[in-house]
Amino acid sequence: MKQFNDLAKEHFIVILLGLFMAAGIGFSYGIGNQHTYLVDGLRLINPELLKFDWFATKTTHYHGTFGWVLWSIEKIMPLPVGTVLLNILLIMMSIGALYSIIKKYHTGHTLFSLFLLISMMILTQTTSVGGSYIYSSYLQPSSLSAVFLILAMASFLKAQYLASGFLLAASGLFHTNFLLLGLISFGLAHLLMGRQDFFKRCTANMLPAFIYLLYLLPTLLDMSTSEYGEQARYIYQHIRSPHHYIPMTYLPDFVQYLGINLLALSFILSDHDQKNCFKPLYLLFFILFTLVMLATLLTSIIFIPFISQLFVWRLAPFSNLLAEVIVSIHIFRLLNGKNPVSRQTLALFSAGLVVLLTYYLNSGGLSYIVALFVSFAISSIFFIASTKCNKWGHKEDLIKTIGVTGIFVLAIVLRYPGSYNHSNLINGKSDSNKQTLFEWVKINTPLDAQIMIPPGMQDFRLNSQRAVVVDWKSPPIMPDEVMEWYQRISDITGTPNINSPKQAKLKYTLMDKRRLSAIKTKYSIDYAVFYSNKKHIKELGDVIFNNAKYTVIEVTRSD
């Protein structure tokens, strides 16, 4: 009975830690990528919504399964609340999976390790190179895929290969990129695990995802064989999203990435356990780390477009996560004397810390440096104290509790204010000028109105519930549709070879009557939105709305 009560308490703590993790990420709705990914689901709920919008009705929406998730949520509760609750549940599920991984390795300090792991996750916000991340404050397709991938990894590490296979397929169901990268990663892991039961392991683990890949194959082939494929890929990689696909634009982010992974390598290279029970964990970590670094070399030293298109950097936060799992496990194995502290371990661990300090000094400012030094100081205190525990008897667990709790509280203090500030479900919308604009458009324009907006105003479509010519945030995925999107951007900016969002914003503000007339003729626009700080805008047409930031002019539709 006591054992059952202890286990129940442990599980309750894991649930609480999942909630702490979710709170450290935030609770948001209708921001960021949701401006793109909510459209399909909202139209399933209400087919009349945005039925005159080009992006909503004339392009291929590549996260259809996510749309049905939104449709299902709306049948049960209001969508903003439902998506936030599901996002919290997903984060809690992933924390449960990470707990099961730690528990598998019998550190004897499962909760200590989990506290330390979550502290690191809150501090890093699970973000990594190329704008990649595991968690976000709002529900999106990658939220589901990322958590299912973590669950698939946990099952893989427990040798539950069939369960891992179905979870990998579920991950791919919501995001094709996760499907492709997951198949590559798990396939390499099985290959490196040796010949024993290879066919059985590999079939169970990969067949469900491979079957789903066959279903998607016609669409993938259409994309790769399109006559516009090469042009569309260039636009997507070099113009629309270099922050994802071109590593040279985010090389500084690799400092943090290498620092975290060096911490893990310091323990892996010093682990001489003959039982080799950590082999699957180490293999999976090395594979993810190697794939990320190899893809970086193949798109930096040379540039292979196909490698860039695979967006292998999506694996980077998962490489970080496994690195943090390894660190959180081995810290306590080391304290218990199971792993000797070698010079190699100390050198690599110190190098990892120095690299991380360098990164945060450059990008985060003084607050991050103070936080890391305090964290390091606390870790050092409980490390030194724990090594003396033979003299202090039963104070060992108390010392470790104080140390880990100190780091955990530090993570909360450092990250929770920012999490609260961008949790718009709690704070509400922050830009009152925008909200006034959106409400005015909904009340004073017809449902079939066509509106031209500044390319950077990504939140206009959903908040005003009116059709727009185009925005920078929401390009389609099929090559011919990407070309249409780019043409629309070129038309509203008056620049045939637009190459960045900054340039698009600038060129749009230089709108003149001739360009406006051409756009009116081509796209039958009724209204145009501009920034109020441009005085010449009032000469383009009748001003029908104006506030401190935004001006709307009426454009008579051409027959």
Side-chain angles (χ1 to χ4, degrees), residues 93-304:
M93 288 169 58
S94 65
I95 297 303
L98 295 171
Y99 162 75
S100 72
I101 293 173
I102 293 173
K103 198 170 183 67
K104 175 190 183 309
Y105 292 103
H106 305 292
T107 64
H109 298 87
T110 305
L111 289 180
F112 281 127
S113 293
L114 188 62
F115 264 96
L116 184 59
L117 172 62
I118 291 176
S119 300
M120 290 187 284
M121 292 171 70
I122 292 175
L123 282 168
T124 63
Q125 296 285 281
T126 72
T127 62
S128 191
V129 298
S132 59
Y133 47 83
I134 297 176
Y135 303 138
S136 66
S137 65
Y138 52 88
L139 185 71
Q140 55 181 314
S142 67
S143 307
L144 293 146
S145 292
V147 169
F148 279 120
L149 184 59
I150 292 173
L151 295 174
M153 288 178 175
S155 295
F156 171 85
L157 294 174
K158 291 183 283 186
Q160 298 168 349
Y161 298 119
L162 185 59
S164 177
F166 280 108
L167 290 165
L168 177 59
S171 177
L173 185 65
F174 293 100
H175 205 302
T176 306
N177 192 216
F178 280 86
L179 179 70
L180 297 173
L181 295 176
L183 283 170
I184 293 170
S185 302
F186 283 92
L188 287 172
H190 284 292
L191 191 64
L192 295 176
M193 285 170 67
R195 295 181 178 180
Q196 185 176 356
D197 296 327
F198 172 78
F199 182 77
K200 182 180 178 180
R201 284 186 282 108
C202 206
T203 302
N205 202 177
M206 301 183 69
L207 186 60
F210 186 74
I211 291 172
Y212 183 58
L213 177 61
L214 290 177
Y215 168 76
L216 295 176
L217 198 57
T219 302
L220 297 176
L221 288 175
D222 283 345
M223 292 176 62
S224 62
T225 58
S226 169
E227 63 177 305
Y228 303 109
E230 188 174 340
Q231 290 174 279
R233 182 162 57 188
Y234 181 86
I235 290 169
Y236 222 94
Q237 294 177 352
H238 293 267
I239 298 174
R240 167 57 180 82
S241 303
H243 59 286
H244 285 323
Y245 297 102
I246 311 299
M248 294 300 290
T249 65
Y250 51 83
L251 281 179
D253 292 348
F254 282 94
V255 176
Q256 184 238 33
Y257 180 68
L258 291 173
I260 292 172
N261 286 272
L262 276 174
L263 297 181
L265 288 169
S266 70
F267 289 108
I268 292 172
L269 297 177
S270 66
D271 184 4
H272 305 296
D273 190 343
Q274 297 301 315
K275 294 180 181 179
N276 214 18
C277 63
F278 288 96
K279 182 178 179 180
L281 176 60
Y282 294 164
L283 274 179
L284 204 52
F285 163 73
F286 273 122
I287 286 166
L288 299 186
F289 178 70
T290 302
L291 285 173
V292 169
M293 297 309 298
L294 185 60
T296 304
L297 292 174
L298 294 177
T299 49
S300 299
I301 298 177
I302 58 174
F303 187 81
I304 302 176

Side-chain angles (χ1 to χ4, degrees), residues 428-449:
K429 311 291 186 186
S430 58
D431 191 335
S432 60
N433 287 298
K434 267 191 178 181
Q435 294 311 305
T436 303
L437 169 66
F438 298 150
E439 291 303 318
W440 183 91
V441 170
K442 282 195 287 188
I443 294 170
N444 295 282
T445 63
L447 292 175
D448 64 345

Side-chain angles (χ1 to χ4, degrees), residues 452-465:
M452 181 178 66
I453 61 171
M457 194 178 283
Q458 60 190 30
D459 47 358
F460 185 93
R461 177 187 285 111
L462 285 185
N463 285 286
S464 69
Q465 299 179 10

Side-chain angles (χ1 to χ4, degrees), residues 412-487:
I412 290 175
V413 170
L414 186 62
R415 292 301 187 191
Y416 269 42
S419 171
Y420 174 80
N421 288 336
H422 68 242
S423 294
N424 69 350
L425 203 67
I426 300 173
N427 294 325
K429 311 291 186 186
S430 58
D431 191 335
S432 60
N433 287 298
K434 267 191 178 181
Q435 294 311 305
T436 303
L437 169 66
F438 298 150
E439 291 303 318
W440 183 91
V441 170
K442 282 195 287 188
I443 294 170
N444 295 282
T445 63
L447 292 175
D448 64 345
Q450 292 288 328
I451 303 176
M452 181 178 66
I453 61 171
M457 194 178 283
Q458 60 190 30
D459 47 358
F460 185 93
R461 177 187 285 111
L462 285 185
N463 285 286
S464 69
Q465 299 179 10
R466 294 297 183 270
V468 304
V469 176
V470 70
D471 67 17
W472 188 271
K473 179 66 178 178
S474 303
I477 193 67
M478 300 304 289
D480 57 330
E481 296 168 358
V482 172
M483 299 306 295
E484 168 72 9
W485 171 83
Y486 189 61
Q487 183 60 55

Side-chain angles (χ1 to χ4, degrees), residues 457-523:
M457 194 178 283
Q458 60 190 30
D459 47 358
F460 185 93
R461 177 187 285 111
L462 285 185
N463 285 286
S464 69
Q465 299 179 10
R466 294 297 183 270
V468 304
V469 176
V470 70
D471 67 17
W472 188 271
K473 179 66 178 178
S474 303
I477 193 67
M478 300 304 289
D480 57 330
E481 296 168 358
V482 172
M483 299 306 295
E484 168 72 9
W485 171 83
Y486 189 61
Q487 183 60 55
R488 286 171 174 255
I489 290 288
S490 297
D491 286 340
I492 69 169
T493 58
T495 307
N497 298 308
I498 206 79
N499 57 31
S500 71
K502 183 177 180 180
Q503 184 191 26
K505 179 180 178 180
L506 174 63
K507 294 294 185 179
Y508 182 84
T509 62
L510 302 177
M511 183 72 64
D512 56 31
K513 288 184 177 181
R514 183 177 179 180
R515 193 200 315 172
L516 182 61
S517 178
I519 296 168
K520 176 180 67 174
T521 301
K522 185 171 184 177
Y523 297 108

